[in-house]
Amino acid sequence: MQKYWPICVMALVCTVVVGGCNQMRVKQDANTTFEQVRDKFDAQKSYAFYGQTKLLTANSANANMVNFSGRKDGEAVYMNVKLSVPEENRVDDLSLLSHGDKLYTKDGQNEGWNHVSGDSPALHQEMNNWNPVASFQQIDGMKRNVRMLPDENPKDDFEALGVVLDSAKLKSWLVAQMQEQTKSGAKVQSIAGREKPYIPKLKLAMSLSEGNWRGAPAHHSGPTIQSKKKVDVNELVNQMEVEAEYTIHYNKKTMLPTNMTMSIRSAYDLNDQRVKEHTQVETYLQQYGTVAPITVPEEKSK
């Protein structure tokens, strides 16, 4: 019996080593696949995209939606953003166009492009919120875990990745967004042709986007969260629970993404109320290499 003991031990060691190697290989394969999809997407000269946000749960009766669409053509990116404002029975309609380090805006029916001069974090934030390039940069900088998702239809050409983001990095990113919007004296929310300041949505914690955390009065019918004074951004975010995960679908023949969904769950305290939210940002990618050209406007000072 003793002569068989070393053989059994060796068999057990091999099993453990092989199992561990398999787990490492799966993890490495998922990261490698993500990097391949990211790099292939970054290399594209042109494509179109569109998407929307879905506020699935909230203790506010008003679930403001964001719809966006756009296209990339070389260094130029055009985007149109529609923000639903149901309490005022209107939709904010803003067009953005970036080319290199220049950003242009066009509000609603205003046909002329206006060059955004100087520091304008709110408008750059709006562009980055829904630009799929910025989404991939966010994933790459904040990813905590990458895994292959089950192939629902092995006969087709599509597979999916799941990427969990780091909560601490998400909080830091959210604080930076909120602080940019509250800089004293910053003329970041004024756009030529608009009667009211333009305030972009926050990609995380959508109820916070309605302005009440800034100390501005909220005008809603139905229950909402009121704020009488400006909230300490760091304190608010520090006690926040937030988690986010991207699901990226891609074509395994071309390694190009077809659509991705960012699922965000957050919980935070505001004015003695616990706010819990579940938001999804859906982005669809198409027309690789076949989009209409983008005409860059002549520069105009605001």
Side-chain angles (χ1 to χ4, degrees):
M1 180 67 181
Q2 288 183 347
K3 66 179 180 179
Y4 294 108
W5 178 247
I7 298 175
C8 294
V9 171
M10 288 181 64
L12 179 60
V13 169
C14 290
T15 302
V16 171
V17 169
V18 171
C21 289
N22 285 337
Q23 290 179 353
M24 289 178 63
R25 188 176 298 113
V26 168
K27 186 175 182 179
Q28 289 174 348
D29 287 349
N31 278 289
T32 300
T33 300
F34 166 75
E35 291 170 357
Q36 289 176 338
V37 173
R38 176 203 62 197
D39 293 346
K40 195 67 182 289
F41 177 71
D42 286 344
Q44 299 306 300
K45 300 298 183 182
S46 65
Y47 52 81
F49 60 92
Y50 67 94
Q52 64 178 342
T53 65
K54 293 180 179 179
L55 186 56
L56 304 181
T57 57
N59 48 357
S60 168
N62 300 289
N64 286 4
M65 297 288 291
V66 181
N67 289 276
F68 55 92
S69 61
R71 65 187 189 275
K72 172 183 168 63
D73 174 32
E75 293 185 8
V77 177
Y78 165 80
M79 184 185 301
N80 178 259
V81 183
K82 290 181 170 59
L83 306 183
S84 175
V85 191
E87 65 274 8
E88 298 182 14
N89 195 29
R90 65 183 176 86
V91 174
D92 269 338
D93 191 335
L94 174 69
S95 294
L96 297 164
L97 193 156
S98 69
H99 185 261
D101 60 353
K102 293 185 173 67
L103 182 65
Y104 303 86
T105 64
K106 184 164 58 176
D107 177 54
Q109 301 302 314
N110 184 1
E111 295 183 359
W113 287 102
N114 295 282
H115 176 235
V116 178
S117 59
D119 187 27
S120 53
L123 297 177
H124 285 285
Q125 175 186 320
E126 193 71 90
M127 173 67 86
N128 289 337
N129 269 350
W130 323 114
N131 186 345
V133 171
S135 294
F136 270 97
Q137 291 172 346
Q138 181 187 51
I139 296 169
D140 201 31
M142 298 187 189
K143 66 181 186 294
R144 191 185 74 205
N145 175 266
V146 184
R147 70 188 190 283
M148 301 299 301
L149 298 179
D151 192 349
E152 297 179 356
N153 186 357
K155 294 183 179 180
D156 65 19
D157 294 330
F158 304 100
E159 292 184 345
L161 289 164
V163 186
V164 177
L165 302 190
D166 184 274
S167 294
K169 292 180 179 179
L170 276 170
K171 287 185 178 184
S172 297
W173 177 74
L174 179 57
V175 166
Q177 278 198 331
M178 295 167 74
Q179 288 178 337
E180 287 286 3
Q181 289 193 23
T182 55
K183 281 184 176 177
S184 60
K187 298 179 180 179
V188 297
Q189 294 167 350
S190 62
I191 300 176
R194 289 185 59 86
E195 295 180 0
K196 295 183 178 181
Y198 185 87
I199 301 176
K201 289 292 184 190
L202 296 171
K203 196 170 183 177
L204 296 180
M206 298 297 286
S207 286
L208 292 175
S209 302
E210 298 177 9
N212 37 355
W213 58 270
R214 299 179 187 87
H219 303 288
H220 300 298
S221 58
T224 188
I225 302 167
Q226 299 283 345
S227 179
K228 296 181 180 179
K229 62 180 180 179
K230 191 171 292 185
V231 174
D232 185 309
V233 169
N234 283 289
E235 181 181 345
L236 176 63
V237 176
N238 281 340
Q239 54 78 38
M240 177 183 290
E241 297 174 21
V242 61
E243 57 185 33
E245 179 174 1
Y246 273 92
T247 301
I248 304 171
H249 294 266
Y250 63 94
N251 186 312
K252 60 187 178 184
K253 288 186 176 180
T254 65
M255 297 305 288
L256 286 170
T258 56
N259 63 287
M260 54 186 174
T261 299
M262 183 185 191
S263 182
I264 311 153
R265 293 183 184 273
S266 60
Y268 54 93
D269 295 319
L270 188 61
N271 300 323
D272 300 321
Q273 297 185 60
R274 189 66 173 170
V275 185
K276 293 184 178 180
E277 296 179 334
H278 180 194
T279 303
Q280 284 186 347
V281 181
E282 299 174 345
T283 305
Y284 298 86
L285 297 141
Q286 57 188 12
Q287 295 180 305
Y288 287 103
T290 62
V291 300
I294 297 175
T295 302
V296 178
E298 295 183 4
E299 185 173 331
K300 288 184 179 180
S301 298
K302 289 181 67 175

